[in-house]
Structure formats: structure tokens, C-alpha cells
Amino acid sequence: MKPPPKKPIASGHARGLAHGRASRRQMLRGALASLGTLGLAGCDRLSNTPAYTEILAGAQHVSQAAHRVVAGRQAMAQEFSEADIAAHFKGNGTLAPRDDDYLALQQGGFANWKLEIGGLVAKPVSLSLADLRAMPSRTQITRHDCVEGWSTIGKWKGVPLAHLLGQAQPLPKARYVLFRCADSMEGLTVDSRYYESIDFDDAYHAQTILAYDLNDKPLPIANGAPLRLRVERQLGYKHAKYVMKVELVESFAAIRGGKGGYWEDNGYEWYAGI
Ligand SMILES: Nc1nc2c(c(=O)[nH]1)N[C@H]1C(S)=C(S)[C@@H](COP(=O)(O)O)O[C@H]1N2
Ligand SMILES: [Mo]
């Protein structure tokens, strides 16, 4: 387990390269789809249009705004076939939380574990794994892209976050969905537990799920048992593992380092679109 470099934006190369490559692919796909709707067809014709060259040049400057304009925040991440699934889904970051409360739940096979959904909601809810498994589910085979430059394809099954939010009913002033995780990152203190946040575009995206199965089996501890986030249009560090609580907030400025996530507080971008 190798944590990403501390200050990637200022000095790291790994992040820029990994991020840039994936972004260009994604952006080009979206851009080509848009050209398709303009009535252009065929590669030869396309490659002669000035728009195509402009897209290639402009694709280097991917940002959240560009995603909105070119790909659209609701565009789907690529899904793969069973044959593409990796034999082993790599684990990264925390692979086994050492926190006492988590260990107690783990020892009991997560029978006493409950997902809390609270904060700015009309109806706070508390759900067991059995409750979650009885809910509508989505299964998707997707590629996980870590900022460190590796990717793995896996099959995830879980409850669409949109469905869970439908039950909890976010209040009008809620703007972000925050995920509180079980694992402490720097010594066993509540203050260093992993956390993440996403906006409502991603929260209600069709492929955003809280997954309890990986490759047709209950999620292994290394990959975030009993429940982890899949937010397929963003890089690996946004995919919170060991999720204990989903908290609706208006702002994350006053939470921990104020940047909306553990790695964000350590210099990573909050929006990690791919
Ligand atoms: N709670 C928690 N979530 C986490 C992490 C972590 O250390 N703790 N690491 C993140 C990073 S950097 C990546 S790449 C993925 C790794 O998921 P995996 O272990 O299933 O490969 O989880 C993300 N979510
Ligand atoms: Mo990562």
C-alpha cells in the first residue's frame, strides 16, 4: 500500500499524467458524441473538420467546467463485459481498518453494522446490510482509475445512492453528500478518519452506488467491507470505502481541513473527473 504523494498539484508528476490521459479519453468520447449529433459521420470526414483538431488540442485542459459542457456530468462511464473483469481487484489505501469500533463490527460479520444517513435530511435513516440488500440494486462492470496510475476492472453491485437519498429526503439547502468512513489514516483518532464528498450531479448519477458486492461476492475487507462508494466518473480516491455514515451538508468548509475529503485536505483536487 503506497499512499499518493502529499503535494501532487505543486510537485507530483504521477497525478498529472494519470489524470490527463484518462481525461482526454473521456473528453474526446464526449466530444465525438456531440459531433455525431451534428450529423457528421465517418472517421475520415471527422478528422478533416477543424472542430476535431480543436477538440484534440482543447482536450488537454479538462476541468469540471469542460466536463459540464463537452461530456455532461450525467454522461455514463464506460461499462465492460464479464470477460474484462480482472482476476484480482487490487486494494489500495487502507486494506484493513484497525479502529476498535470497526474491528468489533467485523468480528460479528457486520450483523450489527448500520449505515446512517443524516445531516440535512427530512428523514434520517439507519439501514442494516440486510435492509440494503433488499433494496433496488444496480450491477456494473467498470474500470477503477487510481491517481497513482493503475486501473482495475471489477463488477460492482449495490444500491443507487439516488434511491437512498429518496428515502432520507435531503432538505433544500443541502448541497453535498459527505461520506464518513471507519478507517483512521494517521493513528487511531476520529479526526483522521477517511472521508469524502460529492455534489448532487454525482450523487444522483445513475452509476453512483453504495456497493456491497464485488465480483459476485460480499465486498472483501481490503476493498471496503461492508459498503463502499462507487462514483464512476471520478478517480479512485473519491470512492470512499468502509462507509459508516452518509451526511448531507450545505458546505464542507468547516469540516476537518475544509477541502471536502481526506486527500483533498492533503492537496488533491476535490473534483477528480475522468
Ligand atoms: N476509507 C477509505 N476509502 C478509500 C481509501 C482509503 O484509504 N480509505 N483509498 C482510496 C483510494 S486512493 C483508492 S485508489 C481506492 C482503492 O480502492 P480498492 O482498495 O478497492 O482498490 O479507495 C479509495 N477509498
Ligand atoms: Mo487511489
Side-chain angles (χ1 to χ4, degrees):
M1 143 197 150
K2 183 168 89 52
K6 283 272 163 167
K7 288 285 174 204
I9 291 161
S11 61
H13 297 289
R15 178 169 206 288
L17 289 174
H19 190 191
R21 243 182 271 127
S23 297
R24 275 193 287 283
R25 244 193 338 265
Q26 186 77 42
M27 178 136 171
L28 191 55
R29 199 182 310 137
L32 291 174
S34 319
L35 283 180
T37 64
L38 295 175
L40 296 170
C43 294
D44 48 345
R45 226 183 121 185
L46 202 56
S47 60
N48 288 333
T49 61
Y52 182 72
T53 336
E54 269 167 42
I55 286 157
L56 282 177
Q60 293 167 39
H61 309 287
V62 173
S63 65
Q64 184 172 3
H67 262 276
R68 278 221 168 87
V69 174
V70 181
R73 291 288 305 280
Q74 300 311 313
M76 300 289 272
Q78 185 176 359
E79 294 196 18
F80 298 80
S81 70
E82 297 269 344
D84 299 317
I85 297 172
H88 173 70
F89 197 95
K90 184 179 154 66
N92 202 39
T94 302
L95 301 177
R98 295 155 301 140
D99 303 70
D100 285 343
D101 47 359
Y102 180 86
L103 290 175
L105 291 166
Q106 181 186 336
Q107 252 137 43
F110 299 109
N112 294 325
W113 173 92
K114 289 228 163 155
L115 174 72
E116 308 290 337
I117 308 181
L120 299 175
V121 296
K123 288 168 110 188
V125 289
S126 176
L127 301 159
S128 69
L129 264 182
D131 294 335
L132 290 167
R133 286 184 177 276
M135 286 180 165
S137 70
R138 187 177 203 282
T139 301
Q140 59 203 30
I141 301 174
T142 52
R143 192 191 58 225
H144 179 98
D145 295 319
C146 174
V147 70
E148 293 169 1
W150 56 269
S151 300
T152 307
I153 292 175
K155 179 182 183 179
W156 304 98
K157 181 181 182 186
V159 186
L161 182 57
H163 177 79
L164 295 170
L165 295 179
Q167 301 226 323
Q169 299 173 21
L171 298 175
K173 66 178 173 183
R175 286 191 59 207
Y176 300 98
V177 184
L178 200 94
F179 302 88
R180 303 270 192 184
C181 307
D183 54 321
S184 296
M185 301 295 285
E186 298 150 16
L188 299 175
T189 66
V190 170
D191 271 6
S192 79
R193 286 190 180 190
Y194 203 92
Y195 78 108
E196 257 304 338
S197 62
I198 57 176
D199 63 16
F200 277 29
D201 280 353
D202 268 324
Y204 286 97
H205 188 283
Q207 291 167 315
T208 299
I209 63 175
L210 282 172
Y212 45 70
D213 281 352
L214 169 58
N215 298 339
D216 300 314
K217 293 191 196 85
L219 203 54
I221 302 289
N223 303 106
L227 195 74
R228 66 96 55 83
L229 175 67
R230 293 302 307 169
V231 50
E232 306 290 355
R233 299 288 311 282
Q234 293 207 55
L235 287 173
Y237 64 86
K238 299 297 291 188
H239 301 229
K241 306 195 285 186
Y242 319 108
V243 174
M244 305 296 284
K245 185 170 185 191
V246 175
E247 194 177 325
L248 279 288
V249 298
E250 184 176 7
S251 158
F252 43 73
I255 298 168
R256 298 270 294 278
K259 299 291 199 294
Y262 175 78
W263 282 115
E264 288 85 335
D265 287 341
N266 285 281
Y268 280 73
E269 287 169 47
W270 176 78
Y271 186 75
I274 46 178

